[in-house]
């Protein structure tokens, strides 16, 4: 059963306290299925909002299979895995993307990032609360499904955008062995 613990409340506050100067709106993009367009929606929404004059930060929270930087044609030297390993600060891994959005890249193919301990997730979210950037909107591009990290990021957000796909269910015919 889900209980809204005070620890979870503290984590959520960390993500929302991104700007010292004005309140930050945190929006998570999520889906049950993979490959339905979360990263595409996140990147396009981030750029559209930036073009409307908002200060936007885009967090790649698909922690082990990240691709926001690739989709935006960016070259990220460091990412959240370096922050988790204590090799970089969150501030140091942020890069600038199209329309001036700030991108927080994550790692791809790093198994340990898929299984962050609750304390590491909490530390990461707290680190966002300590950033001094002026941000109006923080968009969080999540992994597919409802893993612990997805639920943690969703709980720390004001709104969750769920991307769905209307692809009709495929009926797969199973062929038996033997001669055709
Ligand atoms: N509206 C769309 N119409 C057609 N193709 C799309 C659309 N949105 C995304 N795609 C394509 O679908 C593929 C998956 O998109 P994307 O990476 O955004 O999905 P995702 O939900 O983030 O995937 P993952 O669950 O792996 O993170 C990409 O090849 C993308 O170009
Ligand atoms: Mg994605």
């Amino acid at each position: 059963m889900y209980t809204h613990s005070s620890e979870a409340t503290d984590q959520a506050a960390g993500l929302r306290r991104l700007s010292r100067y004005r309140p930050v709106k945190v929006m998570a993009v999520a889906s049950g299925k993979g490959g339905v367009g979360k990263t595409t929606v996140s990147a396009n929404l981030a750029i559209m909002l930036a073009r409307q004059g908002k200060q936007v930060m885009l967090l790649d929270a698909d922690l082990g299979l990240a691709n926001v930087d690739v989709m935006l044609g960016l070259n990220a030297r460091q990412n959240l895995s370096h922050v988790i390993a204590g090799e970089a600060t969150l501030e140091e891994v942020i890069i600038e993307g199209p329309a001036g959005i700030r991108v927080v890249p994550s790692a791809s193919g790093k198994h340990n990032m898929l299984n962050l301990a609750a304390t590491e997730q909490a530390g990461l979210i707290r680190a966002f609360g300590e950033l001094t950037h002026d941000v109006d909107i923080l968009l969080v591009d999540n992994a597919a499904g409802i893993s612990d990290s997805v639920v943690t990021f969703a709980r720390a957000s004001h709104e969750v955008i769920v991307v769905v796909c209307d692809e009709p269910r495929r009926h797969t015919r199973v062929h038996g062995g033997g001669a055709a």
Side-chain angles (χ1 to χ4, degrees), residues 31 33-42 62 65 67 71 141-145 163:
S31 74
K33 286 171 66 126
V36 292
K38 293 177 298 300
T39 304
T40 307
V41 167
S42 303
D62 195 347
L65 294 164
N67 63 345
M71 190 175 277
D141 176 31
N142 277 293
V163 180

Side-chain angles (χ1 to χ4, degrees), residues 30-37 162-170:
S31 74
K33 286 171 66 126
V36 292
V162 179
V163 180
V164 294
C165 181
D166 66 352
E167 179 183 317
R169 189 159 58 149
R170 288 199 188 126

